[in-house]
Amino acid sequence: TIVIYYVDAATHRGGDGTKARPFKWINDAAQIALPGDEIIVAPGVYREYVNPKNAGTEEAPIVYRSEKPLAAVITGAEPVKNWEHYEGDVWLAKIPNGLFGDYNPYVQTVWGDWYFSPISVHTGEIYLNGHSMYEMQKLEDVLNPQPYVPSWEEPEQTLYQWYTVQEGNTTLLYANFRGADPNKENVEINVRRNCFYPDKTGVGYITLSGFTVKQAATTWAPPTAYQEGMIGPHWSKGWVIEDCEVSDSKCCGISLGKYLQPNNENKWSRFVTKDGT
């Protein structure tokens, strides 16, 4: 029997997935959907990691569909409203590391085979009203920002800068909001590593249709090692990703492979024993 499940972020308490009592979270449906089932997602912001459990089949894929094109938003970010004024235009937020679980984007740096950069940047990010800010290496740089002239955007945008450091079990975020009050604006930070991505391989024949997907703390996806994406089949087949708007993944937006091989991960970067080519 084919089942249609309904999801609505606006519901006060998650139901059983029926139209009258929809789930509150997409991932609730993702844990029980079977081949041929369809998940209809109402407009809203879904701050969650969707981890599809079951595969569809070639004849009967599992379909995830935004009820209104691009109106269902899956995001890996969370809002931050506990900013304290620090100095000048710079504010400080103290984030308990428990928020991040076992993956802290403000500890994890972008790294891997084929990645070459003179500076170290984290997979975390700060967004002011949807605009990604610029991570700096020193607090002094954030206190006295200088424009990055080669920026593809207006150089003025590069003055919105941030810096992070660890203090015990707390992540400290310093950000220069250029006169804006972050407690009155929409300020978000990367929290989740992926948005729509099975944690195991072989979850085939999934369709993702019409979603806005954004703001994940992905790390580098080299051809010689594990390739994660904000969206991805994780080494599965038969996927359709259509009519989606994908943005603000730290590294990879959509990944089609490569599965994790613990004994073969980033050998060139770690041991200089296996050339990246």
Side-chain angles (χ1 to χ4, degrees):
T1 302
I2 293 176
V3 179
I4 299 178
Y5 294 104
Y6 294 88
V7 183
D8 190 345
T11 188
H12 294 294
R13 182 177 297 175
D16 55 9
T18 59
K19 195 167 187 176
R21 299 182 63 242
F23 289 128
K24 188 174 181 65
W25 305 104
I26 303 170
N27 197 53
D28 289 342
Q31 300 312 297
I32 60 175
L34 297 173
D37 291 350
E38 185 168 359
I39 296 118
I40 305 295
V41 183
V45 178
Y46 297 84
R47 299 185 185 277
E48 61 174 309
Y49 162 46
V50 182
N51 179 12
K53 180 179 179 180
N54 301 315
T57 66
E58 187 171 5
E59 298 77 18
I62 299 174
V63 178
Y64 295 76
R65 191 181 309 281
S66 176
E67 183 179 41
K68 181 179 178 182
L70 304 182
V73 180
I74 306 173
T75 174
E78 291 288 338
V80 177
K81 289 295 184 185
N82 64 331
W83 294 94
E84 305 168 4
H85 183 251
Y86 179 73
E87 180 181 325
D89 288 333
V90 177
W91 296 66
L92 167 64
K94 299 178 181 179
I95 312 297
N97 286 346
L99 174 68
F100 306 115
D102 58 1
Y103 181 89
N104 186 336
Y106 304 92
V107 173
Q108 176 68 47
T109 57
V110 177
W111 174 86
D113 290 354
W114 296 66
Y115 179 73
F116 305 99
S117 174
I119 61 173
S120 177
V121 296
H122 292 93
T123 61
E125 190 61 280
I126 300 178
Y127 307 90
L128 173 62
N129 296 324
H131 289 278
S132 175
M133 297 174 65
Y134 285 70
E135 183 180 2
M136 307 305 291
Q137 302 299 298
K138 301 176 182 177
L139 178 56
E140 292 78 9
D141 294 335
V142 179
L143 289 166
N144 302 285
Q146 300 298 315
Y148 182 67
V149 177
S151 172
W152 290 356
E153 293 187 80
E154 292 295 325
E156 181 72 17
Q157 181 66 28
T158 69
L159 295 173
Y160 291 84
Q161 299 176 358
W162 63 276
Y163 168 76
T164 187
V165 67
Q166 294 294 302
E167 184 179 86
N169 293 320
T170 304
T171 293
L172 304 186
L173 298 174
Y174 298 86
N176 191 320
F177 294 109
R178 307 292 295 158
D181 183 342
N183 293 318
K184 296 180 180 178
E185 307 293 336
N186 177 27
V187 178
E188 300 168 284
I189 64 170
N190 280 358
V191 171
R192 287 170 286 280
R193 185 170 182 167
N194 313 103
C195 286
F196 191 96
Y197 189 91
D199 64 3
K200 60 185 179 182
T201 61
V203 185
Y205 298 101
I206 300 286
T207 294
L208 184 71
S209 182
F211 288 83
T212 296
V213 186
K214 61 182 183 177
Q215 299 168 316
T218 51
T219 191
W220 197 244
T224 49
Y226 176 56
Q227 292 179 311
E228 66 170 352
M230 181 163 60
I231 305 170
H234 195 179
W235 207 251
S236 306
K237 64 180 181 179
W239 276 51
V240 176
I241 302 167
E242 61 183 13
D243 302 325
C244 293
E245 185 172 286
V246 181
S247 70
D248 292 293
S249 180
K250 188 67 176 192
C251 289
C252 183
I254 300 174
S255 166
L256 302 183
K258 146 92 170 46
Y259 60 93
L260 178 66
Q261 292 176 291
N263 296 325
N264 198 42
E265 278 300 290
N266 291 302
K267 282 192 173 182
W268 174 248
S269 294
R270 288 191 299 153
F271 308 121
V272 199
T273 57
K274 181 179 179 181
D275 194 316
T277 59

